[in-house]
Amino acid sequence: MVDVKEEFDKNTGAELTDSDIERARQLIGVDTASKYHEHISTASYDAIRNFAFGVGDDNPLYTTEEYGQNTRWGGQIAPNSMSQIIGYPMQGDPMPEHAKKAAKSLFKGIHVFVSGGTTDWYRPIYPGDRLFSYNGEESLDVKNSEFAGRSVVKVRRDVKVNQRGEVVSVHRILSVLTERKTAKDRGKYSAIEPASYTDADIEKIDAVYAAEKRRGAETRFFEDVAVGEQLPAMAKGPLTVTEVIGFHSGGYGHVPYGLKASRLAYQNRKRIPAFYIKNELGVPDVAQRLHWDSEWAKAIGNPMAYDYGVMRETWFHHYLTDWGGDDAFVVRQQDSMRKFNYQGDVQFLSGEVVGKREENGLFLVDLTMKMTNQRDVETSFGEATIALPSREHGATLLPEVPADIARTATQMWQRHLEITDEKRRAPKA
């Protein structure tokens, strides 16, 4: 048997260097077409349903083909939050030489946490929609944390465009990069005890689930919403390995690293060996396994395995769509994950209406939300804006894409079409 902690010490001594930080700064403002083919590249009836189920959402607007035909959408649509996991390779010009050089082996062996982000949505996703993306770094800051000492906090902008060239979403991803060994040695969270539940505890959680109500076809009108209104409670968890597997089954898994099997895992291990570290059986396995392997999570300074930040982002979105109903459109969601959500933890969601306004023909409601675990610790918080239908003015409108984003997206999409056409016309070898 292999000692996982020894294997950790042997393979995870990577440090955040001034050189890497300086190289990362050179990538700010460089937009590049994404060449990654994600697990889901095209929304389908099944893919949309499976994503909703992986989030714990049973809304028939997402999970059936027929229900949506009688809604304002005219058919099945996806939860807006699904936009961030759909991706088909976008054609584009190569990354500038200076940026390509700066990006090579950048932050190799450094751990990355998704700590939140902000997403603006502009169009719904229908079955058959294929999403392409381009992205670039927007900002980078160096900070000190109790968890892992010096860390890098960066924001990447990811713009998703559908096959009609329409901007579907702009996702700004907040990531924290830390040294794995420093986090392990400091052991900030090592004293946290695993959760345990009596039958009575589970009954209390079940009571929250039983009381949850999806607004659905009962239209929530702008005029009927009051500032100060409290959103009903929602529960997520307790977190299990099964729930993490369900989230992956719904389509989550970033392809450049991701979950690979057999020969593909071997090929990936040869491509990025620093991402693979032996488990207790001596088998090279992904560093990503800390989301289901508590022994590995302990080796890097956490008491047990924990969820993905993206999971809680989708849970917040589920909370919003349950409240808003089928006619609503989530325009923006901003969220922050400040504490870990460990295996065994349950998250209780709450929220409040903090404002309402008419803007550019849209009737908008602003909300705040948070998640609190069974230890009464707030782990996540967020803000959101939802467009609702108006009794007086009619159905929900879709927001306009900001001029600067629209201009760049048009340029990137036109270049994609040009290169695609050039490749189609090129003589076959």
Side-chain angles (χ1 to χ4, degrees):
M1 299 291 284
V2 171
D3 187 313
V4 175
K5 291 184 178 180
E6 287 184 7
E7 194 65 21
F8 171 89
D9 289 337
K10 187 195 310 179
N11 290 279
T12 56
E15 298 180 352
L16 281 169
T17 65
D18 292 338
S19 173
D20 272 3
I21 292 169
E22 181 53 38
R23 285 197 291 138
R25 293 191 194 280
Q26 296 176 33
L27 300 176
I28 295 175
V30 179
D31 284 321
T32 307
S34 176
K35 298 297 192 293
Y36 295 124
H37 195 300
E38 299 290 356
H39 292 297
I40 298 175
S41 62
T42 305
S44 68
Y45 296 112
D46 289 341
I48 294 171
R49 180 195 65 227
N50 292 342
F51 176 80
F53 283 166
V55 171
D57 192 343
D58 59 357
N59 190 340
L61 182 61
Y62 311 137
T63 62
T64 70
E65 297 182 33
E66 302 81 16
Y67 176 88
Q69 295 171 7
N70 297 318
T71 70
R72 64 151 298 186
W73 309 108
Q76 183 189 18
I77 60 171
N80 284 357
S81 59
M82 190 178 179
S83 65
Q84 63 181 301
I85 74 159
I86 304 175
Y88 189 84
M90 188 177 196
Q91 301 301 319
D93 294 319
M95 182 181 285
E97 199 58 39
H98 80 279
K100 188 186 300 183
K101 183 177 179 181
K104 186 176 181 180
S105 299
L106 186 62
F107 295 128
K108 185 176 180 180
I110 297 299
H111 197 71
V112 181
F113 301 91
V114 174
S115 185
T118 303
T119 305
D120 297 284
W121 288 281
Y122 300 97
R123 295 294 179 270
I125 302 168
Y126 287 95
D129 280 355
R130 173 170 284 181
L131 299 190
F132 307 80
S133 69
Y134 65 90
N135 48 57
E137 304 296 334
E138 279 198 338
S139 66
L140 183 149
D141 295 303
V142 179
K143 296 186 176 181
N144 284 305
S145 71
E146 293 181 17
F147 175 65
R150 187 165 76 153
S151 60
V152 168
V153 180
K154 67 185 185 72
V155 175
R156 188 189 79 201
R157 185 186 68 246
D158 195 7
V159 180
K160 293 291 178 78
V161 180
N162 64 24
Q163 74 277 11
R164 294 177 291 276
E166 301 167 331
V167 175
V168 172
S169 64
V170 178
H171 189 44
R172 291 176 168 87
I173 305 159
L174 178 66
S175 298
V176 180
L177 287 74
T178 64
E179 297 173 355
R180 291 173 181 157
K181 190 173 188 305
T182 303
K184 179 240 181 183
D185 291 344
R186 291 196 175 199
K188 177 182 178 183
Y189 300 112
S190 59
I192 294 177
E193 293 293 327
S196 63
Y197 296 89
T198 64
D199 288 346
D201 293 331
I202 295 298
E203 287 176 5
K204 290 178 182 178
I205 298 170
D206 286 350
V208 178
Y209 280 124
E212 290 177 8
K213 181 181 178 183
R214 184 179 63 250
R215 184 76 178 190
E218 184 184 352
T219 302
R220 185 179 295 281
F221 289 104
F222 174 81
E223 289 84 354
D224 298 337
V225 175
V227 174
E229 178 180 339
Q230 301 295 307
L231 275 64
M234 176 182 273
K236 290 292 185 181
L239 184 68
T240 60
V241 173
T242 303
E243 188 137 13
V244 174
I245 292 172
F247 190 57
H248 278 296
S249 298
Y252 180 73
H254 194 39
V255 167
Y257 304 101
L259 306 180
K260 310 280 187 179
S262 300
R263 184 193 304 155
L264 295 179
Y266 157 76
Q267 293 170 351
N268 211 39
R269 177 159 49 87
K270 293 301 181 183
R271 184 177 67 87
I272 46 173
F275 191 64
Y276 286 77
I277 298 166
K278 289 180 182 178
N279 63 19
E280 67 275 10
L281 302 176
V283 179
D285 200 357
V286 292
Q288 185 179 354
R289 71 184 190 265
L290 48 76
H291 294 293
W292 53 86
D293 182 344
S294 285
E295 289 307 307
W296 172 235
K298 290 175 184 176
I300 67 165
N302 272 296
M304 63 210 87
Y306 54 92
D307 71 350
Y308 293 97
V310 180
M311 286 184 74
R312 275 179 276 172
E313 290 185 324
T314 61
W315 292 349
F316 270 139
H317 198 78
H318 179 197
Y319 190 47
L320 295 170
T321 57
D322 257 19
W323 180 82
D326 295 341
D327 295 316
F329 187 81
V330 180
V331 172
R332 165 175 275 225
Q333 178 179 317
Q334 182 175 7
D335 45 60
S336 182
M337 317 305 158
R338 292 304 175 92
K339 299 290 183 182
F340 290 98
N341 177 31
Y342 295 112
Q343 275 189 18
D345 284 0
V346 61
Q347 301 296 323
F348 298 101
L349 286 78
S350 58
E352 180 182 0
V353 176
V354 295
K356 53 185 295 189
R357 55 203 159 89
E358 180 184 356
E359 187 176 289
N360 299 324
L362 279 76
F363 292 85
L364 303 174
V365 174
D366 298 315
L367 308 101
T368 58
M369 331 169 265
K370 65 179 180 180
M371 294 187 193
T372 306
N373 66 19
Q374 77 283 353
R375 300 182 189 89
D376 202 30
V377 173
E378 183 179 308
T379 67
S380 313
F381 58 87
E383 300 175 351
T385 299
I386 301 179
L388 294 178
S390 163
R391 287 187 184 278
E392 182 179 351
H393 299 280
T396 309
L397 298 180
L398 297 176
E400 291 294 325
V401 180
D404 58 333
I405 295 291
R407 183 167 52 252
T408 303
T410 298
Q411 293 169 352
M412 298 293 286
W413 182 246
Q414 288 300 320
R415 190 63 184 130
H416 165 81
L417 295 177
E418 291 169 1
I419 295 175
T420 300
D421 189 57
E422 289 169 5
K423 289 186 174 182
R424 182 179 62 83
R425 293 172 180 271
K428 303 296 181 183

